[in-house]
Amino acid sequence: MKSLHRPDLYSWSCFNPARNIDFNGFAWIRPEGNILIDPVALSNHDWNHLESLGGVVWIVLTNSDHLRSAKEIANQTYAKIAGPAGEKEYFPILCDRWLNDGDELVPGLKVLELQGSKTPSELALLLEETTLITGDLVRSHSAGSLTMLPDEKLMNRDQAVASVHRLAGLEKVETVLVGDGWSVFRDGRVRLQELVETLGITTSK
């Protein structure tokens, strides 16, 4: 796994040829038990690295399209799985906890519920106020800039734009870790505000 901007954060990836971007999984290493977010498949090297860091106790899935390798990893590690409460009725795998807007899975990891994406109630995660972790809605197909999921994949564009506005209003965000594409490690809020400027005005509340 690759070291990120904090000594307790790691990432690993698999390349998606259809979209020409990496799909990323993230690991937050903590004394109370490590947390994986939207984990893609782990290589043998990454498995060994994760085990050397203490394994995993929780897997967080931001939406039902980001199941990736969560079930396989949970089966091998006995980790618990948390998913978006708004998708509870039809979520493809069993979850041990359902997350709503404003919840904290553990201290320092806050849940933000997004609307209008390709699945209802997609989650973003705010780690200790300064690191934002996104699933599908906010992504990056070129280094140094952020984009939104294409309009044709959105359930409701106005709601999706309003959700991006909300993320851009997070005053302390420095880093944006994206599930799809290139993450942004500096001036994250600035990049989010630049994204907002490309989306036009939304009337959603």
Side-chain angles (χ1 to χ4, degrees):
M1 297 187 297
K2 297 170 285 190
S3 298
L4 299 184
H5 62 296
R6 293 172 37 144
D8 58 350
L9 284 177
Y10 292 85
S11 176
W12 71 105
S13 308
C14 65
F15 184 70
N16 181 269
R19 295 170 180 80
N20 207 36
I21 56 174
D22 285 336
F23 287 169
N24 308 308
F26 301 103
W28 181 24
I29 307 305
R30 42 196 302 279
E32 302 84 359
N34 301 332
I35 297 172
L36 304 185
I37 299 163
D38 288 349
V40 295
L42 289 153
S43 67
N44 288 335
H45 172 81
D46 291 333
W47 266 115
N48 291 334
H49 192 184
L50 180 61
E51 289 175 359
S52 75
L53 294 169
V56 53
V57 297
W58 276 104
I59 297 171
V60 182
L61 298 174
T62 60
N63 66 83
S64 56
D65 280 349
H66 273 206
L67 303 183
R68 298 175 168 178
S69 292
K71 187 174 181 180
E72 293 79 6
I73 294 171
N75 286 342
Q76 294 187 55
T77 62
Y78 302 103
K80 295 180 179 180
I81 298 177
E87 298 187 46
K88 181 177 180 179
E89 291 185 7
Y90 54 84
F91 208 70
I93 61 176
L94 294 175
C95 288
D96 300 279
R97 182 169 173 184
W98 299 102
L99 300 173
N100 290 286
D101 189 66
D103 285 347
E104 282 193 330
L105 176 66
V106 297
L109 189 64
K110 184 179 179 181
V111 173
L112 303 171
E113 189 177 90
L114 309 179
Q115 302 297 331
S117 189
K118 63 179 178 179
T119 59
S121 304
E122 178 180 321
L123 304 180
L125 302 169
L126 184 61
L127 175 57
E128 295 179 346
E129 302 297 328
T130 59
T131 296
L132 179 67
I133 305 167
T134 65
D136 262 328
L137 184 61
V138 174
R139 55 218 284 121
S140 175
H141 290 251
S142 60
S145 64
L146 297 171
T147 189
M148 190 174 75
L149 196 68
D151 287 359
E152 60 269 20
K153 293 185 178 293
L154 299 173
M155 297 181 70
N156 184 304
R157 188 180 191 278
D158 279 354
Q159 290 180 353
V161 172
S163 292
V164 176
H165 273 261
R166 180 188 181 192
L167 298 180
L170 299 170
E171 296 182 355
K172 297 181 180 180
V173 169
E174 300 168 359
T175 301
V176 182
L177 303 179
V178 297
D180 298 353
W182 296 84
S183 292
V184 172
F185 294 99
R186 293 185 179 180
D187 302 320
R189 190 187 183 207
V190 174
R191 300 289 86 80
L192 286 165
Q193 291 173 330
E194 290 174 350
L195 171 58
V196 163
E197 292 174 0
T198 70
L199 299 178
I201 298 172
T202 178
T203 58
S204 296
K205 301 297 183 181

